[in-house]
Structure formats: structure tokens, C-alpha cells
Amino acid sequence: MKINNKRNLALILFATFFFLLPYSKALAEKIQNFESNIKINEDGTVTVEEIVNYDFGSLQRHGFFRKLDYKNTNQDGKTFIVDIDVLSITDDEEFSYNFSKSRVGRFVELKIGDANKFVTGQNTYVIRYILSGAVTYFSDHDEFYWNLVGFEWDVPIENYRASITLPENVNEDLLKAVCYEGALGSTSQSCTVEKLNGQITVESSRVLNPGENITVAVSFPKGIVEVLEPKEDKPGIFTYVILVILALFAVVWYLLLPIRILIKTIRESKFVKNNERIVSAWFEPPQYSNKSVFTPAETGFIVDKVIDHKELTATIIDLAQRGFLKIREDGKKHFSFIRLKEIDSSELKNFEQQVMSAIFKEGVDLKNLDEAALKNLDQKLPSLEKFNSIIKIPQLINLENEIKGTPIDVNDEVKDSDLKKSKTLFGKISKFNKYVEDEIVEKGMFENKPSEIYSKNMALFGLGLTTLNPFLAIVSFIARRKTAKMTLKGIEKYSEAKSLLNFLKSQDEQLNFQSKNQMFFEKLLPYAAAFGVEKIWAERFKEISMIKPDWYEGNNFANSVFIGNMTHNIGGSMKSAHSASMSPTRSSSGFSSGFSGGSSGGGGGGGGGGSW
């Protein structure tokens, strides 16, 4: 019996030691400071200098290893290789370290140190290397979208800072930068990013735990650097065998699939045509079965299946008319928005709250974070509360308050020029797009989401081009959103919305019986803005002088033509923000932009490191 007790005790001690060993390592080792100095060169290469102050604690190790991710997969599943040319690895006094370079999986691993010597305490490693193929090229700008830290670190990083320098003579006003911080997939922008004299600086807001990363996206004008695309990862012999097998299905890919898409497009168009009931004079927006009226954004979406700046502008005007905000003219083509009610009012739909939040709230709202990021924050809250009770660090206290849902500042008045400087506007507008579509689909207007159908057809369009299948590319491009199948109820509401559009843009004299009624003009103005026909609608009322409504403040309010111009100008001020949140979504090599649904881990590069 005693022998068994001793054996059990030994097993418990062994298990305790085994499970606590990695944690004791994490507590003993850390990176005090990690600094990256990055230069984007005119020839398209990127020079990187990493200064890592590694603290081995009391442990004796042989050295330090750094893993650099050299593979990146685009939206089509294709893998590309970024060439990494290591220039030197030294300490802070420029004495060279011994190191070896090898490829392990998707990483280039730099093993630094001497197997016959030990190191302990604090040591500095300066790693210099050049990247080829790290810049992505879009139709209207170029971008450096990069995972600066990586998720493969064994130890925490107490402080991280990066400086990114572009070639000389870059107009600072044409630069855009955003950073993401946290676990894989996190959309938190709690890290700080600043630009000054053509240089971008990024800093962590807190200690980065193992498995956490900082990603940066820097947008700059085309023509600043040469085009240097990454090399495609060539398939192995097994893949070639698979390709030979797939060649047997070439008839399906090059003929049958395009024919199927074409038939589906024609069938859906015919189904809508046979069931639509469009008239020339319809004076009301569509209604749901519960008699609630379609908002301007929903009405515009059900007609063309697209959300763009027109729906956003229409929603702003509609919110003003309903008393949630006031529009004030500040001068030619410039406006201020004054908040009159709470942004999370129960009277507002999700997408309307998102517009109010985009205009008046600066900062990351928890409901804008994805599920993985929220779960990660929630797990760390108890430890964070204990730490903050001992050491009062403002940034960590702010993070604790954010996790607990403590409200962040809400502005009462915002200029349209300030919106262009917002760090969170793009993400909130993306949420607006999603919520409008969700509302329509959940109410049974479509059998599937038009955006998903659009993505699938555009993916087939891209694949058609890359596989030299013009038939597939053409029919996929024609189909786009047309194969998003409407229900009979959706076609009924589509007919009502299309009839309203016909009425708004018509100049038929027989339909001018309401053209002396300002109330009628204002009622349908947001819907005209959603359709993009507000100037045509205003033309019908040009003969009457308008009384300035409560929702508008300015000196130039005179007639309906001015209001038509006003909606156009507000739309113009929001258009750039909306465009940045929606397009372009792919680069020439098939990679997404860091400004369109970006996240921690969304860029190229990455990796990690530790001791050995």
C-alpha cells in the first residue's frame, strides 16, 4: 500500500512538473522591446531591420531563433512566395552572431547562437533582411499589408514599435494607414498608428501575449514603387497528377458550367419578368407584412441588390427628417451633423444605429469586434482586473472598461471633414452594408444573400480569366447579382420600389399634380437619393420656394434645386469613405486589402521566435 502511495505521489509530481514547465519558461523569458524599421524601396523591395531585446531571465540557453513566414495565400487559395534575403544578424554593437538559415514548413527559420555556448539575461539581436514581393498592387493604389509581429512567439512582448518609411517626395495627404492588434482574426484597432513626414509609426497598446500579433496596412499612390509581384508557389509532382485528372473534366469547366450559369441567369430574369407588376405612378415606398415601411436604404437595395454611398446618403437625410440629427450647412459643399437623439435608440434599425455610430462615435465598439476577439478579451478580463487593482496603467484601465462595456465618448457635433480622419468609420460603414442586406433577406425577400452570389460569380469570373475560359468569365460577369433568387414576396416589393423609382424620375406632365406640395417632396426625397435621381425629383418642384425645414440649418436654402445639390454634396463627402470600405477588394495578385475587412493576421509575413 505504501509503495502504491509513493508511486502515485511520484506520478503527481511528474505531471505537475510536466504541465508547469512551459508556463515557468513563459514567466522566465520575455521580449522587453521589439522594434521594426521598415523601408519600402522604389524598386518594389522592402528592407527590414528588427531590433529584439530578448531577456532569457535566469535560464541558460544557446541562443535565439526567428521564424519568418515566406508564404502567403490569396483569396483564390493560391500560394505565393515572398523571397527573404538575410543581410546580417548582429548585436547592438554590430558584432556578428553565428546563425543558420533553413526552411521549415511555411517559415524561413534563423537559428542564432552557438550550440557549445550558453547565454543568459538580456541580449540584443539586430536582424536585417530584404523582402521581394511584399507589396500588393491594386487598380487605384499600392499597399503594404503586413503581419509585423506574427503569431508564433513562445514569449510575451512587452513593447512593440514599428516605423515604416516610403520613398521621398510622397504626399502625406495621399497616405492611409491602419493597424490591427490581437489574436488571429481580431479587428481591434487599439494599437496606435501615426503618419509624419512620409513615415508611418505603429505602436502596441499593451503587452502582446504569445499568439498575438500586430498587422499594418499602408496605402500609397501608384507609381511610387515599381511592380514586383510575389512568385507563385509551383505545385509538386502530386499536384501535376491531380491536374492531369482534372483535365478530364475540362468539358465541364469550359462548357457545361458556363451554360448552367447562363441558363440560371435567364431563368431568374424571366421569373422576375413574369411576376413583376410595375406601374408608372406609385407614390409610396414598399411595406413589410407588418405594415412597417421600407427605409430608403432597403428600397434602393431591393431594386439593384447593391449597397453604396447613395443608400448611405439617403439614410442620413431620413434620420435628419425623423429628428435623430440635424444637417447644418458650413459653406460650399461642406456640412456638419448635429446629434439630437441617442445613437442606440430602440426606434432605429441595426444599420441606422451603425450610421449614427459612424458619424458621432469615435473608437472601437465591442459589437464591432468578431466573436474570436470578444472571447479572447473575455478570458483575459479576470487577470486584467487583478493587475489593474495593483498597478494603475491608464491604457489597461481603458481596455478593462471597454471589455466591461463602459460607454465611450459620443460626439454631439461632427464636421464632414472630420469623418475622413476617423479610424473606425470604414468598419462601421461595412457593418451598415451588411445589416441592410440582412434585414431584407431575413424578411424573406431573397432566397439567398445577393452579396454571397456576387462573390461566387466574381470568383468564377476571376477563375475564368486565369484559366483562359472567356465563356465562363463573360457569363459570370453578366450574372453577378442577377442569379440571387427573389421570392414572390420579394418580386412584389421590387415591383413597388421600381414603380416608385419610375415615378420619381419621370417628367410626365400628367404626374405633376403633387409638385406644389413641399411635404410630398420631402417625404420622398430620401428615396430619390437612394435611387440617385434626387436632381430629377427636385426639377419637378423648381417653381416653388421651399420653407426651411427643422432638420436643416443654413442660409442658402431657397428651393428644391438647392436641396437636390445638397444631397449630391453630402453623398460626395461620404462616397470616398464608402468606397474605401468596399473596393477595391482584390489586388492584381488576388490578395485582399487591409482597408476592406482587415484584421490581425490578414496580411503577408508574420512568424515568431523564441529560445533554443
Side-chain angles (χ1 to χ4, degrees):
M1 191 68 176
K2 289 183 178 179
I3 294 175
N4 288 337
N5 288 339
K6 290 181 179 179
R7 183 180 300 167
N8 292 338
L9 179 61
L11 288 173
I12 292 172
L13 291 174
F14 175 79
T16 302
F17 174 80
F18 179 81
F19 284 109
L20 290 181
L21 181 61
Y23 295 99
S24 64
K25 175 184 176 181
L27 290 172
E29 297 180 63
K30 63 184 178 182
I31 293 176
Q32 289 186 329
N33 289 287
F34 189 162
E35 181 176 349
S36 300
N37 297 314
I38 300 170
K39 183 181 179 182
I40 301 174
N41 303 309
E42 292 182 352
D43 62 0
T45 63
V46 178
T47 304
V48 182
E49 178 188 73
E50 294 181 342
I51 305 173
V52 183
N53 299 124
Y54 198 99
D55 188 356
F56 295 93
S58 58
L59 299 175
Q60 287 189 326
R61 298 293 189 220
H62 294 290
F64 165 80
F65 69 90
R66 175 73 166 108
K67 294 192 292 185
L68 302 170
D69 199 335
Y70 72 97
K71 289 189 176 184
N72 196 11
T73 303
N74 71 5
Q75 291 177 303
D76 300 326
K78 290 186 177 182
T79 301
F80 289 80
I81 292 175
V82 176
D83 285 335
I84 301 175
D85 182 17
V86 180
L87 302 177
S88 65
I89 302 178
T90 68
D91 62 14
D92 54 349
E93 296 182 1
E94 297 297 320
F95 288 100
S96 297
Y97 284 111
N98 292 325
F99 73 93
S100 61
K101 176 183 175 182
S102 60
R103 290 191 176 186
V104 181
R106 71 176 195 272
F107 299 107
V108 169
E109 185 173 287
L110 306 176
K111 192 173 183 180
I112 308 163
D114 191 335
N116 297 319
K117 296 180 181 179
F118 289 102
V119 292
T120 189
Q122 297 182 18
N123 289 262
T124 299
Y125 299 87
V126 182
I127 306 171
R128 299 181 179 93
Y129 54 92
I130 294 179
L131 303 170
S132 297
V135 177
T136 48
Y137 305 88
F138 294 88
S139 59
D140 61 347
H141 73 282
D142 295 337
E143 189 171 310
F144 181 64
Y145 186 25
W146 205 251
N147 301 315
L148 296 170
V149 177
F151 301 96
E152 309 296 326
W153 290 96
D154 295 335
V155 295
I157 300 172
E158 292 188 338
N159 297 287
Y160 178 80
R161 184 180 186 278
S163 63
I164 302 166
T165 305
L166 285 94
E168 296 180 359
N169 301 322
V170 178
N171 188 341
E172 185 173 310
D173 295 334
L174 299 178
L175 296 179
K176 292 182 181 179
V178 63
C179 66
Y180 305 95
E181 181 180 67
L184 180 64
S186 171
T187 56
S188 171
Q189 297 180 24
S190 53
C191 48
T192 60
V193 57
E194 296 179 354
K195 57 181 181 178
L196 181 64
N197 298 327
Q199 185 180 79
I200 309 295
T201 58
V202 179
E203 294 189 34
S204 58
S205 65
R206 54 180 175 81
V207 174
L208 298 177
N209 294 309
E212 292 187 321
N213 167 63
I214 290 182
T215 297
V216 69
V218 179
S219 168
F220 49 95
K222 298 191 71 61
I224 301 297
V225 302
E226 295 180 12
V227 175
L228 183 61
E229 296 275 15
K231 300 175 183 177
E232 186 175 353
D233 192 12
K234 297 298 182 181
I237 185 65
F238 178 76
T239 305
Y240 280 115
V241 173
I242 297 297
L243 291 176
V244 171
I245 297 173
L246 290 176
L248 299 176
F249 299 94
V251 174
V252 175
W253 178 253
Y254 285 95
L255 185 63
L256 298 184
L257 178 59
I259 291 176
R260 181 177 181 274
I261 295 172
L262 184 61
I263 292 173
K264 189 174 182 180
T265 303
I266 296 172
R267 184 181 297 165
E268 178 57 25
S269 298
K270 189 175 180 180
F271 177 69
V272 174
K273 195 74 175 177
N274 290 339
N275 290 280
E276 67 184 13
R277 298 293 182 267
I278 298 175
V279 298
S280 60
W282 190 270
F283 317 126
E284 297 288 340
Q287 291 184 354
Y288 290 109
S289 56
N290 62 359
K291 303 301 181 182
S292 63
V293 178
F294 276 48
T295 65
E298 293 167 320
T299 307
F301 177 75
I302 201 170
V303 169
D304 59 12
K305 306 174 187 176
V306 178
I307 302 293
D308 57 24
H309 69 282
K310 297 192 298 293
E311 280 79 11
L312 183 60
T313 303
T315 301
I316 292 173
I317 296 172
D318 184 54
L319 290 171
Q321 290 182 345
R322 290 157 56 190
F324 285 91
L325 59 89
K326 177 181 285 189
I327 301 171
R328 186 181 68 201
E329 178 194 358
D330 288 340
K332 187 177 181 181
K333 296 186 179 182
H334 287 288
F335 298 88
S336 289
F337 303 103
I338 302 168
R339 183 175 61 87
L340 301 179
K341 293 184 180 181
E342 296 299 324
I343 64 176
D344 55 356
S345 170
S346 59
E347 301 175 44
L348 298 176
K349 295 187 176 183
N350 283 344
F351 58 85
E352 293 173 325
Q353 291 182 1
Q354 208 64 34
V355 173
M356 291 287 287
S357 178
I359 296 174
F360 297 110
K361 182 183 286 189
E362 177 67 29
V364 179
D365 201 334
L366 283 183
K367 64 185 178 184
N368 287 327
L369 298 180
D370 53 44
E371 187 175 339
L374 285 171
K375 184 177 180 182
N376 186 41
L377 287 173
D378 188 55
Q379 291 173 344
K380 295 177 180 177
L381 180 57
S383 300
L384 188 61
E385 288 175 326
K386 291 180 182 178
F387 188 79
N388 286 341
S389 65
I390 301 171
I391 303 175
K392 304 291 184 181
I393 300 177
Q395 291 86 347
L396 295 182
I397 293 174
N398 290 339
L399 178 61
E400 179 185 335
N401 291 335
E402 185 176 327
I403 298 172
K404 291 178 177 178
T406 303
I408 58 180
D409 291 338
V410 177
N411 299 318
D412 292 326
E413 182 176 335
V414 176
K415 297 180 182 293
D416 59 355
S417 57
D418 293 333
L419 292 176
K420 298 178 181 179
K421 304 174 184 177
S422 171
K423 297 178 181 179
T424 58
L425 178 65
F426 301 156
K428 291 172 183 176
I429 291 177
S430 297
K431 291 286 185 180
F432 166 78
N433 303 334
K434 177 182 182 300
Y435 290 157
V436 172
E437 182 180 54
D438 288 348
E439 186 79 17
I440 290 289
V441 174
E442 288 171 5
K443 293 294 177 60
M445 304 297 129
F446 292 91
E447 291 186 3
N448 38 42
K449 289 187 176 183
S451 63
E452 294 178 355
I453 299 300
Y454 175 80
S455 297
K456 291 177 182 178
N457 284 330
M458 290 309 293
L460 288 173
F461 168 73
L463 289 172
L465 292 178
T466 56
T467 58
L468 302 180
N469 189 349
F471 189 19
L472 176 62
I474 291 170
V475 297
S476 298
F477 184 80
I478 293 173
R480 285 179 290 179
R481 293 179 174 84
K482 291 182 179 180
T483 50
K485 187 173 179 58
M486 277 188 174
T487 63
L488 287 173
K489 184 192 301 183
I491 295 175
E492 176 187 345
K493 302 307 173 185
Y494 161 81
S495 300
E496 295 174 9
K498 194 67 180 290
S499 299
L500 177 62
L501 169 60
N502 289 341
F503 169 65
L504 290 170
K505 68 181 182 179
S506 173
Q507 292 297 305
D508 191 337
E509 290 296 329
Q510 294 180 358
L511 301 180
N512 279 345
F513 54 88
Q514 291 282 10
S515 63
K516 302 298 182 184
N517 190 328
Q518 178 174 342
M519 184 179 298
F520 186 66
F521 170 78
E522 288 190 51
K523 173 185 174 182
L524 295 183
L525 177 62
Y527 295 91
F531 292 131
V533 297
E534 66 274 12
K535 286 192 173 183
I536 299 176
W537 177 238
E539 181 70 18
R540 185 178 297 175
F541 294 78
K542 66 181 180 180
E543 300 300 331
I544 67 170
S545 295
M546 295 287 182
I547 300 172
K548 186 166 59 177
D550 293 337
W551 52 269
Y552 182 83
E553 182 180 320
N555 298 322
N556 293 323
F557 194 97
N559 53 47
S560 57
V561 176
F562 175 78
I563 299 180
N565 290 331
M566 177 200 69
T567 62
H568 179 75
N569 292 336
I570 292 176
S573 68
M574 301 300 291
K575 185 174 183 178
S576 59
H578 189 278
S579 298
S581 72
M582 291 297 291
S583 64
T585 58
R586 291 164 61 91
S587 67
S588 56
S589 52
F591 293 103
S592 61
S593 168
F595 296 89
S596 176
S599 65
S600 177
S611 65
W612 65 282

